[in-house]
Amino acid sequence: MTLIKSPEEQEKMRRAGKIWAEVMQQLEPMCKPGTTTKQIDTKAQELIESLGGTPGFLNYKPAWAHHAYPATICASVNDSIVHGIPNDYALKDGDLLTIDMGVKIEGYNVDAARTFIIGNGSKEAHQLVQATKEALDEALKVVREGATLGDVGAAIEKVAHNYNLSVVEGLTGHGVGKDLHEEPTVFNTGVEGEGITLKEGMCLAIEPMFSTGSEQIIQKPSDESYATKDGSLSAHFEHTVLVKKDGVEVLTGL
């Protein structure tokens, strides 16, 4: 596969990104105490399909998974970082919920995520969510032709250090396009000037994931999701972006 997307491929991903943004905006009011993660998943599938897209995660089986993914969204709560399977859990005041969602149009994917604070939330939760979103924003500022993936990782890592948070180990961003997961790997740590040089036309899923405690993760046997080893809170923000000559186009921007 080529890392550089043609104008036609870019336009398909742009259309998928618009659907992602519209669906996520409609899911946000559901992120409140009493709603189950399964209810949010059902609504997400309904909305994506009504807008002419296909759920990118549903029945997707990457090489590292034992089973095809059974849902439209990943719904990861509190210590769960990614790949939480929606179920009958009713959200509670103070929970953190990460919705990670893929949308496909004519065979091309976008992938993005947001973490929501359910109800009021603690000061710790608010700071974690603020920092993780800020890390994504800072990473996007450095993306342009000629920058490196080390620049991206360094920008993310700097924000984690500023807030005294941990960058979770072993989970990364990635290229995206015809396949949901493509090269290159986009690390959330790095050294400025090192790594692959970005070129116009590359599409990347950049996704900082922070925790308030340990950087170590475990895989839960119940659903193969990944969680913080010490049970600390985690947050995750992600956008699919298109590298431009003089900056970046956020394909999943709200």
Side-chain angles (χ1 to χ4, degrees), residues 47-114:
L47 289 169
I48 291 171
E49 292 175 348
S50 71
L51 292 168
T54 301
F57 293 176
L58 185 61
N59 297 319
Y60 175 63
K61 186 179 181 298
W64 61 83
H66 296 116
H67 310 285
Y69 192 72
T72 293
I73 66 170
C74 296
S76 304
V77 179
N78 294 330
D79 63 321
S80 291
I81 309 160
V82 290
H83 306 164
I85 297 175
N87 55 31
D88 292 328
Y89 176 78
L91 296 167
K92 298 178 175 61
D93 185 78
D95 280 344
L96 290 186
L97 169 67
T98 296
I99 298 178
D100 192 355
M101 182 172 72
V103 176
K104 182 185 290 187
I105 286 281
E106 295 182 26
Y108 284 82
N109 295 274
V110 296
D111 177 10
R114 288 183 66 188

Side-chain angles (χ1 to χ4, degrees), residues 1-6 9 182-183:
M1 75 187 66
T2 176
L3 297 183
I4 308 300
K5 304 300 186 287
S6 70
E9 292 171 317
E182 299 181 351
E183 293 298 326

Side-chain angles (χ1 to χ4, degrees), residues 137-149:
D137 292 341
E138 290 300 308
L140 298 183
K141 289 178 183 178
V142 306
V143 175
R144 59 177 45 80
E145 183 167 82
T148 69
L149 286 180

Side-chain angles (χ1 to χ4, degrees), residues 5-6 10 25-26 28 66 71 75 77 82 109 121 124 130 134 150 160-161 175 179 197 209 223-224 230 238-239 241:
K5 304 300 186 287
S6 70
Q10 293 173 26
Q25 285 179 317
Q26 294 194 52
E28 183 170 2
H66 296 116
V77 179
V82 290
N109 295 274
E124 179 185 49
Q130 175 184 324
E134 183 180 315
H161 290 166
D179 292 325
T197 299
M209 290 164 271
D223 62 1
E224 299 182 11
D230 61 358
E238 176 185 16
H239 273 311
V241 304

Side-chain angles (χ1 to χ4, degrees), residues 22-42:
E22 183 167 342
V23 172
M24 188 62 73
Q25 285 179 317
Q26 294 194 52
L27 294 181
E28 183 170 2
M30 297 183 69
C31 298
K32 60 185 181 181
T35 305
T36 69
T37 55
K38 181 62 178 175
Q39 287 173 324
I40 297 173
D41 181 72
T42 299

